Amino acid sequence: MAELNLLSNQRRLRSAEAKRLEQLHEKLLRQKALERPCPFKISSAHPTCTKPGGVCSIRLYQQEGDGIAPVAGNKGRIRALCPARFHQNGVAFDRVGELLLEDSEPKRIGEVGFLKSTGNLDSAPGEDVGRIDMILVKNEEEDTSAIEWVAVEVQAVYFSGKNMQIEFDHIKRTDGKLSMAREKRRPDYRSSGVKRLMPQLLTKVPTLRRWGKKMAVVVDAPFFQSMGRMDTVSDVSNADIVWFLVDFLDNGDDALFHLAVVEEVYTTLDAATLGLTGGLPVTKSEFEQRIKSKSNLKHIAR
């Protein structure tokens, strides 16, 4: 009966509607054919990769004779490009819960609205205009109206350089042979830190602080090391932000690198802002000298 009703509904479609339905059906088939599962979205109902090339992390390599090997030391550590990479086995979130909620298996609630619009050209009053990436809620043994929770922001790094399709095309031409990248690329920590993460913290932490809540921030260790020096506090009770630094370790049991929380850092919002800025202003005279050198001016004043 359901099939007959569907056919009946399709017969009532106008020609343009039927054509559009056919196009959407073809699009869905193409999408299913190209979709690849994401091994890290363990709590998602539809755990598929949303990146066209499926690249969720990068690493610095160098030519060594006839071979290729990762660069030694901190520069050779894996850098996460996709936030989903931090979800592996829920390790990072469980550690956040253990430290800040005394619950090593907290409930995870993603994308909770935090800011609502006052009404403007593009959004209606009350519409969500800002969300927190993840809220962890402590499992209570008894039913209570009060809940214990902590806010979590996850920040991967963008990269700058030419389109990755250049590398994919080269891999196809060489039948997957391991080779050095065709083009140079680098993690863009300025865009990821100053332009992306810092506004999130400046917007959300003051309100969380008034509520008596901490902000947990999950980044990989190279991301944190790329920032400027950041003053820390010795105890979590004095922190506005708790940084959970992760690394991706080769356990030797399979080809997959496993996420581990390797360090926790306690800071205030002010210290985090200075650290994310990652630099000291030059002197006025040095700045004016740079203006002269760029404009080829011998004299500024006339």
Side-chain angles (χ1 to χ4, degrees):
M1 181 63 69
E3 184 177 353
L4 290 176
N5 288 339
L6 177 61
L7 292 174
S8 177
N9 289 336
Q10 287 180 338
R11 292 193 187 98
R12 289 199 294 269
L13 292 176
R14 295 192 297 272
S15 175
E17 293 172 333
K19 184 177 180 180
R20 176 58 178 160
L21 181 62
E22 183 179 354
Q23 291 172 342
L24 290 172
H25 182 65
E26 292 176 354
K27 182 179 179 180
L28 180 61
L29 292 177
R30 288 196 302 271
Q31 179 180 329
K32 288 182 176 180
L34 296 173
E35 278 184 346
R36 295 294 181 268
C38 172
F40 309 119
K41 295 180 179 179
I42 58 175
S43 58
S44 174
H46 193 61
T48 55
C49 178
T50 56
K51 292 187 172 294
V55 177
C56 60
S57 59
I58 56 175
R59 193 179 194 184
L60 185 62
Y61 281 77
Q62 63 184 1
Q63 192 88 39
E64 290 187 352
D66 295 332
I68 298 170
V71 171
N74 284 336
K75 287 190 174 182
R77 295 168 94 169
I78 293 174
R79 325 291 180 94
L81 300 180
C82 177
R85 186 64 185 86
F86 293 102
H87 288 239
Q88 186 180 19
N89 297 329
V91 169
F93 304 126
D94 288 348
R95 176 53 191 156
V96 174
E98 182 180 17
L99 179 67
L100 299 179
L101 295 175
E102 297 183 345
D103 184 348
S104 60
E105 295 182 352
K107 297 176 184 176
R108 302 174 205 153
I109 304 173
E111 296 284 331
V112 178
F114 178 75
L115 296 175
K116 59 183 181 181
S117 174
T118 58
N120 55 42
L121 180 64
D122 298 313
S123 60
E127 182 179 341
D128 281 347
V129 291
R131 296 179 174 85
I132 292 178
D133 290 342
M134 177 79 71
I135 298 294
L136 302 180
V137 181
K138 183 175 182 177
N139 292 288
E140 298 289 353
E141 294 182 0
E142 299 179 2
D143 291 337
T144 174
S145 59
I147 59 173
E148 289 190 52
W149 57 271
V150 63
V152 184
E153 287 290 319
V154 176
Q155 183 63 58
V157 68
Y158 310 135
F159 73 85
S160 62
K162 293 188 177 180
N163 195 304
M164 284 293 292
Q165 190 61 46
I166 296 170
E167 309 303 330
F168 300 146
D169 292 342
H170 175 72
I171 290 171
K172 289 179 181 178
R173 289 194 301 270
T174 58
D175 295 325
K177 181 182 178 181
L178 182 64
S179 62
M180 292 294 290
R182 302 294 92 189
E183 300 289 344
K184 290 184 178 180
R185 295 176 187 82
R186 63 176 183 82
D188 188 352
Y189 290 110
R190 295 295 298 177
S191 292
S192 310
V194 178
K195 297 180 181 179
R196 174 63 183 173
L197 179 57
M198 187 164 71
Q200 298 293 321
L201 299 181
L202 289 172
T203 301
K204 298 169 183 176
V205 171
T207 297
L208 292 172
R209 184 167 51 195
R210 288 194 295 272
W211 292 350
K213 299 294 183 180
K214 310 292 184 187
M215 169 67 83
V217 179
V218 179
V219 295
D220 58 39
F223 190 110
F224 191 82
Q225 292 170 350
S226 74
M227 299 187 293
R229 189 181 67 84
M230 194 179 298
D231 290 335
T232 62
V233 294
S234 60
D235 192 85
V236 68
S237 64
N238 290 326
D240 299 318
I241 302 168
V242 181
W243 300 83
F244 292 81
L245 313 186
V246 308
D247 201 359
F248 305 97
L249 309 177
D250 183 1
N251 290 348
D253 57 346
D254 54 38
L256 188 66
F257 282 76
H258 295 265
L259 180 146
V261 177
V262 294
E263 190 176 357
E264 291 146 14
V265 181
Y266 310 146
T267 73
T268 63
L269 175 60
D270 291 341
T273 302
L274 291 174
L276 282 165
T277 302
L280 296 173
V282 300
T283 64
K284 180 185 175 186
S285 60
E286 182 181 353
F287 184 69
E288 290 179 348
Q289 185 57 45
R290 293 182 180 189
I291 295 175
K292 291 179 182 180
S293 65
K294 280 185 170 288
S295 60
N296 295 319
L297 294 176
K298 295 181 179 180
H299 302 285
I300 298 295
R302 294 185 181 275

